[in-house]
Amino acid sequence: YAFIQTTFPDYISNTVNKQKLDKMTVIEKRKLIKSLSIKKAQAWWNAESATWSRLNALVSALKSTDEKRQVKALFYIRNGKTKCTGLNKAFYESELIALMRELAKTELKRVSENAKLILMDIDYEWLMLKPAEQL
C-alpha cells in the first residue's frame, strides 16, 4: 500500500481507487502495480522519446543524487562494451571530466572509487571497449 501511495499518488488520490485498493489481495496489488508501472513508463516515453538518447541518460544518471544510478553509469563507462553514440574522447573531455572530478570527491566510496579509476585511465582504455566513436 505504501509503495503505491508513494509511487502513484495520482492513483491513490482518487477515492474510488483507494477503496478498491483496500479490498485487494496481495496478488491483485502486484497486478495493479505492474499495470500502473507500464502506464507510467509509456507516458514517460511519449513525453521524452523525441529528445532521449543513451548519452543523455548516462549524463543524467551521473548527475543524479541516486547512488545506484551513478554507480551503474560509472560501471558502464569503465566496463561497458555497447555503443553509446556521442560518447567519445572529445565529449568526455568537454562534458564529463569535470563531473568525474566532482564524483571522485564524494563520500560514497562506490561512486568515488569508480570515478577515480576513470580519471586515472589516461589512455582511455574504457573508451576502447566500446564500438567506434573513439575520436
Side-chain angles (χ1 to χ4, degrees):
Y1 184 83
F3 176 79
I4 295 172
Q5 190 173 17
T6 348
T7 312
F8 307 104
D10 291 345
Y11 178 85
I12 214 80
S13 67
N14 180 312
T15 309
V16 174
N17 290 341
K18 191 173 181 181
Q19 289 171 349
K20 285 180 188 176
L21 185 62
D22 290 337
K23 296 175 185 175
M24 286 183 183
T25 65
V26 171
I27 293 170
E28 290 171 329
K29 287 177 185 175
R30 286 183 184 155
K31 287 180 182 179
L32 174 65
I33 289 170
K34 181 178 179 180
S35 173
L36 292 172
S37 297
I38 290 169
K39 287 178 184 174
K40 188 174 183 178
Q42 288 171 332
W44 173 84
W45 184 249
N46 288 339
E48 301 293 326
S49 63
T51 59
W52 187 89
S53 72
R54 190 172 193 180
L55 186 60
N56 289 344
L58 180 67
V59 173
S60 174
L62 292 169
K63 289 181 177 182
S64 79
T65 57
D66 183 334
E67 177 185 2
K68 189 181 269 188
R69 282 184 71 203
Q70 289 175 328
V71 170
K72 284 182 178 184
L74 291 164
F75 187 82
Y76 167 76
I77 291 172
R78 286 189 51 228
N79 302 298
K81 295 179 181 169
T82 55
K83 186 175 180 177
C84 180
T85 302
L87 180 60
N88 53 42
K89 186 177 177 182
F91 183 83
Y92 173 78
E93 290 176 348
S94 67
E95 303 293 327
L96 295 182
I97 199 162
L99 184 53
M100 288 301 146
R101 289 182 181 133
E102 285 179 42
L103 293 172
K105 295 176 190 174
T106 187
E107 292 181 19
L108 301 169
K109 291 278 189 211
R110 294 187 324 153
V111 173
S112 63
E113 289 174 6
N114 277 291
K116 287 174 188 173
L117 289 169
I118 294 166
L119 288 167
M120 288 172 33
D121 183 0
I122 58 173
D123 295 326
Y124 296 91
E125 289 181 22
W126 60 266
L127 190 55
M128 299 304 158
L129 294 173
K130 292 149 191 65
E133 293 222 40
Q134 281 117 19
L135 300 175

